[in-house]
Amino acid sequence: MKPDFVTRRAAQLGLAALALRPPKPRPTSIPVFFAGWLTGELAPHLLALTAADTVQHVARHGLRRRSDRAGLALAALSAAGFASLIATSQKARIEVESALTEALGEDYIAQLASPSDFSTPWGRLLMPFRIHEPDVVRDRNVAYAPGGKRFLLDIYRPRETVRDAPVLLQIHGGAWTIGNKEQQGLPLMRHLARRGWVCVAINYPLSPASRWPAHIVAAKQALAWIREHIAEYGGDPRFVAVTGGSAGGHLAALLALSQNDPALQPGFEEADTSVQACVPHYGVYDVAASTGEEESRYRLESLMARRVFAPEHRLDDYLAASPMDRVAEDAPPFFVIHGKHDSLVPVAEAREFVARLRAKSAHPVAYAELAGAQHAFDVFPSIRSTHVVRGVEHFLDWARAQALTPVSEKNS
């Protein structure tokens, strides 16, 4: 039975309220995340749905009953909430651009060959789950190491033949226990592939069946495979950037901060596992809970120690797995992106990670903190994720230009 008009309007108002001001208590974090994430990124669609449903109801029933007038008032409040969410999403353009100019300099954009503009592609956003991309080829289920489906990767590349294209490695999230390569990073990879990049999305072993460090070892195996084989797909193995969200953001950051570490490369210690840039989205950085933050300790005790790490692991193993505790002068350029409303990984964790990176790294560290953004804001195209994708493209183009510029020119 279809809910009545007042119930529908009340439910949408509740969703808008959750997205605008998510509550903090830990037991509610997962449902609050899902409600706030979908509401925030689909606010234009929900606003249109609210308007259409309200107009239809008033046209059919009028405003004679008290419930009709109450429903209209709730609809007005919901519409105001969704409009506020849309306006906040649009701020991502300024937040991302400010982060890049602060870290890279006011004239960084002049160093890019053909940067995308930050206009909002409303036509694409109307159907955010449409997958068809005629300009992008996807090579599916390529094995990068023995072991079955968890050691497969997909390659997204331009339909037109390319050579020496920059490469992006995408690592999916899912609390190290769920997820696959088809589910995350798609807006960014498709955008970059249309712009001439070769993008690689990987699976990796999941816990609890596989325990740490199987996850990062697999990511390094994939990186070694890229260095050896990506030229066959038009990629340039001299420039590989890495990105990922949540647990994938953790693995991306750790990959960038553990370059060529033989302890994480058993059997392929001589392989080059360096990366030239890193863009973690809403990543987990304090694996060892060394900051003493309550949320980090809770994650360590409830998830990491029970399902991801083996019982025999000790503090040194957690520290070695923690990007927060591995920051170093030789870290590549970073662009860290996090939402202020993240219910699963508090934004304070990203702030501390960026502060430590900036204190030690010899390379720029850009940081965009997105107002109103929940965890996983970039999973499908939205106003916010579109602005972020364009900013990531600019950062990666800048990083590639820097990586390929001779040292003599940089010092001149």
Side-chain angles (χ1 to χ4, degrees):
M1 182 177 177
K2 184 179 180 180
D4 63 29
F5 180 57
V6 173
T7 301
R8 297 197 300 272
R9 300 285 65 78
Q12 286 202 317
L13 180 59
L15 290 174
L18 280 175
L20 288 166
R21 293 187 177 275
K24 298 297 184 183
R26 186 181 297 123
T28 67
S29 60
I30 292 179
V32 165
F33 150 62
F34 277 109
W37 162 51
L38 291 172
T39 303
E41 303 312 315
L42 294 174
H45 306 77
L46 292 171
L47 177 60
L49 179 63
T50 297
D53 190 29
T54 302
V55 168
Q56 181 188 50
H57 180 85
V58 172
R60 292 178 61 185
H61 303 285
L63 296 172
R64 296 183 300 273
R65 296 171 299 180
R66 180 180 297 179
S67 61
D68 297 324
R69 295 190 292 276
L72 181 62
L74 292 172
L77 291 173
S78 298
F82 294 139
S84 178
L85 290 169
I86 293 169
T88 302
S89 295
Q90 289 282 23
K91 291 180 182 178
R93 171 179 180 173
I94 298 173
E95 292 163 337
V96 167
E97 187 61 22
S98 297
L100 294 177
T101 55
E102 178 187 2
L104 309 181
E106 294 287 342
D107 63 341
Y108 88 92
I109 201 79
Q111 303 175 43
L112 310 184
S114 56
S116 297
D117 63 45
F118 276 94
S119 59
T120 303
W122 289 107
R124 184 180 295 272
L125 298 184
L126 287 175
M127 300 181 66
F129 302 108
R130 183 173 65 90
I131 298 177
H132 182 59
E133 285 286 357
D135 299 328
V136 176
V137 173
R138 178 182 172 189
D139 301 288
R140 300 171 183 262
N141 295 327
V142 180
Y144 66 84
K149 66 180 182 179
R150 297 312 309 178
F151 294 88
L152 301 178
L153 57 80
D154 291 347
I155 301 170
Y156 297 78
R157 55 189 174 89
R159 185 168 295 278
E160 295 185 0
T161 302
V162 293
R163 291 184 60 188
D164 296 329
V167 181
L168 178 72
L169 170 59
Q170 154 70 27
I171 307 176
H172 72 77
W176 305 272
T177 61
I178 59 174
N180 63 66
K181 55 186 170 57
E182 291 88 5
Q183 295 174 338
Q184 299 173 29
L186 299 179
L188 176 60
M189 290 190 292
R190 288 178 178 142
H191 175 79
L192 289 179
R194 291 196 303 270
R195 301 279 295 174
W197 283 65
V198 173
C199 301
V200 179
I202 65 168
N203 280 341
Y204 55 87
L206 299 176
S207 296
S210 297
R211 297 292 180 141
W212 188 265
H215 322 70
I216 189 64
V217 170
K220 286 179 172 286
Q221 287 176 304
L223 184 52
W225 183 95
I226 288 170
R227 285 259 146 69
E228 185 174 352
H229 296 284
I230 204 63
E232 301 166 19
Y233 298 86
D236 181 357
R238 297 175 301 167
F239 184 88
V240 182
V242 62
T243 189
S246 195
H250 159 256
L251 292 171
L254 185 61
L255 199 65
L257 296 171
S258 64
Q259 303 181 70
N260 303 318
D261 182 349
L264 300 177
Q265 298 177 207
F268 59 109
E269 292 85 355
E270 301 304 316
D272 178 8
T273 60
S274 63
V275 295
Q276 283 60 61
C278 183
V279 188
H281 294 60
Y282 43 90
V284 175
Y285 307 114
D286 189 16
V287 170
S290 60
T291 61
E293 292 291 333
E294 180 183 354
E295 291 298 327
S296 299
R297 291 198 304 271
Y298 176 78
R299 182 176 59 231
L300 173 62
E301 295 168 0
S302 64
L303 173 63
M304 308 302 291
R306 293 184 180 184
R307 294 177 61 82
V308 180
F309 284 74
E312 63 269 18
H313 282 118
R314 296 293 181 262
L315 177 59
D316 287 348
D317 299 305
Y318 287 93
L319 291 171
S322 180
M324 190 82 75
D325 298 287
R326 295 195 66 141
V327 296
E329 184 179 2
D330 63 351
F334 265 77
F335 184 15
V336 179
I337 306 169
H338 216 94
K340 284 188 178 180
H341 282 177
D342 196 315
S343 295
L344 301 185
V345 183
V347 68
E349 190 165 329
R351 293 171 184 164
E352 178 63 21
F353 178 60
V354 168
R356 294 191 186 191
L357 267 177
R358 287 176 170 171
K360 287 192 176 182
S361 176
H363 290 109
V365 180
Y367 175 52
E369 190 171 294
L370 307 178
Q374 257 291 355
H375 207 71
F377 61 80
D378 63 329
V379 169
F380 54 84
S382 66
I383 295 173
R384 180 181 287 109
S385 68
T386 296
H387 291 317
V388 170
V389 162
R390 303 283 173 78
V392 172
E393 175 208 336
H394 291 176
F395 173 79
L396 292 176
D397 282 347
W398 174 89
R400 187 186 186 221
Q402 293 295 306
L404 299 183
T405 299
V407 175
S408 58
E409 293 185 24
K410 293 180 183 180
N411 296 331
S412 61

